């Protein structure tokens, strides 16, 4: 950006200096006043360009810093929408279809033809050496309008595909965010647990030396410590893999760092399953695209029927007439000839036209069937993901409110009983292992809930944790 602004400023300054020199040469009497204006303009543009360059660089640096410190889900999604290359691709594809309307609704190029006769054609007025025609084909009234409507539907589909690409990108970012959040939470749990198991191992080795613990208990502690070290190594590699995945969605370098994640609060869905079905019909981009394709197919049917109507051609004709060689010359001898032309096509191939109509009708039926298929698949996917979402929510509640507190209490009780020599060391290790697994389970359930919520809202095309105002839904339905 700085290079662009600097280059633009240099070109602008050189242009203003050239203008000033020209004014000095041709308008010396006004040079003082004009020089002052030019100087003010130069200073103004220099200040503006410098301020803009500095502001732009600060924005870029701030965007980069936002991902180095505390990172929210919304910040990642905003960055992805601004930078993701698939979104850029879909946006440009939409622009291309918009430009296609003028192509579809424009008249064919005029045709200009010149005919030269090596052996001039003798006419009553003289020999004809050459002639020229200029003609223009004109489709039957209404054909170009319908062709434009077909392209308009393509533009609607491309725009919906852009919305779909943005939605899919946001969903992928959300899924990667929750997966990375789980990995980092698992790293914290594993790090705390390995400190605890290392302490327990030392305690076990001490009591074993006193003959108060069995060798198998010490082996269990050592093997669990080794398993935790492997888990930490695996989690570190998974973290780098997920960071690379997020960076690819954000169009960043693969090894760019992602700061501490700030996970949103877990919110339950506020819509019933039947309401989710209705919301999907109303908001999902794929279903909207199918609606547009059905409307487009209807227009194509009308356009196919119009092929039974003739197209027209109009033109002008000019022929150069030379002087007669001999004999009596008529009064209008050597007068050039000109005239108007009019013609039309004769659509007599009824079989071809009928096939065009049948083809368009078949495409319409296919579009209707595809829409129904999309709705059925959406309902099936909604039900499946909704079940997994509710199950993940139940697991979060179960582990958070019941199992995890019980495991912590059991671990404390096992430690107390072990110190009082009322239970074995292996029971203490087992209680610690259970507490560790329950912490991983609640982290996994929380991440799964976020991922299932992202996938479900992708199918719905609308947030399901906050009920939208009825007016907003009605407005979307009208659109």
């Amino acid at each position: 950006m700085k290079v662009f602004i600097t280059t633009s400023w240099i070109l602008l300054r050189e242009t203003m200096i050239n203008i000033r020199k020209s004014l000095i040469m041709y308008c010396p009497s006004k040079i003082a006043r004009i020089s002052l204006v030019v100087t003010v303009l130069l200073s103004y543009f220099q200040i503006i360009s410098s301020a803009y360059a500095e502001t732009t660089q600060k924005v870029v640096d701030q965007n980069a810093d936002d991902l180095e410190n505390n990172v929210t889900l919304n910040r990642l999604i905003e960055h992805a929408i601004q930078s993701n290359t698939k979104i850029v691709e879909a946006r440009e594809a939409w622009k291309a279809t918009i430009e296609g309307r003028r192509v579809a609704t424009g008249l064919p190029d005029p045709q200009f033809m010149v005919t030269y006769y090596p052996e001039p054609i003798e006419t009553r007025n003289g020999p004809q050496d050459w002639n020229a025609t200029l003609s223009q084909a004109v489709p039957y009234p209404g054909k170009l309008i319908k062709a434009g409507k077909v392209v308009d539907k393509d533009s609607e589909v491309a725009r919906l595909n852009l919305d779909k690409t943005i939605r899919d990108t946001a969903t992928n970012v959300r899924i990667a965010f929750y997966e990375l959040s789980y990995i980092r939470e698992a790293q914290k749990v594993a790090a705390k647990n390995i400190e605890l198991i290392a302490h327990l191992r030392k305690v076990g080795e001490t009591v074993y030396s006193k003959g108060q613990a069995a060798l198998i208990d010490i082996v269990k502690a050592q093997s669990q410590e080794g398993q935790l070290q492997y888990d930490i190594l695996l989690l570190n590699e998974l973290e780098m893999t997920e960071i690379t995945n997020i960076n690819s969605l954000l169009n960043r370098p693969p090894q760019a760092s992602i700061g501490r994640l700030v996970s949103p609060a877990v919110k339950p869905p506020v819509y019933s399953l039947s309401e989710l079905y209705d919301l999907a019909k109303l908001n999902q981009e794929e279903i909207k695209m199918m609606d547009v394709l059905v409307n487009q197919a209807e227009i194509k049917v009308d356009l196919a029927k119009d092929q039974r109507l003739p197209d027209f051609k109009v033109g002008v004709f000019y022929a150069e007439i030379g002087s007669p060689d001999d004999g009596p010359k008529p009064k209008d001898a050597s007068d050039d000839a000109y005239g108007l032309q009019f013609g039309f096509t004769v659509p007599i191939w009824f079989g071809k036209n009928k096939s065009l109509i049948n083809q368009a009708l078949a495409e319409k039926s296919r579009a209707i069937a595809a829409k129904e298929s999309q709705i059925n698949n959406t309902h099936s996917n909604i039900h499946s993901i909704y079940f997994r979402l509710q199950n993940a929510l139940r697991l979060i509640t179960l582990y958070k409110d019941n199992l995890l507190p019980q495991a912590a209490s059991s671990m404390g009780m096992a430690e107390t009983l072990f110190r009082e020599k009322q239970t074995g060391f292996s029971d203490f290790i087992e209680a610690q292992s259970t507490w560790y697994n329950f912490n991983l389970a609640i982290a996994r359930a929380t991440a799964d809930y976020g991922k299932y919520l992202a996938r479900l809202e992708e199918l719905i095309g609308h947030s399901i944790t906050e009920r939208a105002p009825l007016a907003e839904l009605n407005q979307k339905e009208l659109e």
Side-chain angles (χ1 to χ4, degrees), residues 32 73 159 178 190 221 248 286 320 359 364 373 398 430 443:
L73 179 57
R159 181 185 60 80
Y178 284 113
S248 67
E286 287 86 347
E320 191 271 340
Q359 182 182 23
K364 177 183 176 181
S373 177
L398 176 63
E430 187 67 27

Side-chain angles (χ1 to χ4, degrees), residues 13-153:
R13 184 176 60 184
E14 291 179 352
T15 303
M16 299 293 287
I17 291 174
N18 292 333
I19 294 175
R20 182 181 179 183
K21 290 180 179 179
S22 299
L23 291 173
I24 292 175
M25 183 179 297
Y26 296 105
C27 305
S29 60
K30 299 182 180 180
I31 184 58
R33 183 173 55 189
I34 295 178
S35 297
L36 177 61
V37 174
V38 171
T39 302
V40 171
L41 287 175
L42 289 173
S43 302
Y44 172 77
F45 283 118
Q46 186 173 12
I47 293 172
I48 293 298
S49 61
S50 300
Y52 181 76
E54 183 178 356
T55 303
T56 303
Q57 187 63 33
K58 286 183 178 179
V59 171
V60 172
D61 295 340
Q62 184 179 2
N63 290 339
D65 292 340
D66 286 346
L67 301 183
E68 300 288 339
N69 302 315
N70 294 338
V71 180
T72 63
L73 179 57
N74 289 336
R75 181 68 193 96
L76 284 180
I77 293 175
E78 291 174 1
H79 196 290
I81 292 175
Q82 294 172 1
S83 307
N84 188 268
T85 53
K86 288 186 177 180
I87 295 177
V88 176
E89 177 185 355
R91 185 179 293 112
E92 295 304 316
W94 175 40
K95 292 180 181 179
T97 57
I98 293 176
E99 296 300 327
R101 191 183 197 285
R102 287 187 292 184
V103 177
T105 58
L107 290 173
D109 292 334
Q111 184 177 12
F112 179 74
M113 180 176 293
V114 177
T115 305
Y116 173 74
Y117 302 102
E119 296 292 336
I121 299 175
E122 292 294 338
T123 66
R124 181 178 66 86
N125 294 340
Q128 183 182 153
D129 296 325
W130 61 274
N131 62 56
T133 58
L134 177 64
S135 60
Q136 171 68 62
V138 180
Y140 192 88
K143 284 187 178 181
L144 292 181
I145 296 177
K146 293 177 181 178
K149 291 181 179 179
V150 171
V151 177
D152 289 340
K153 296 302 178 182

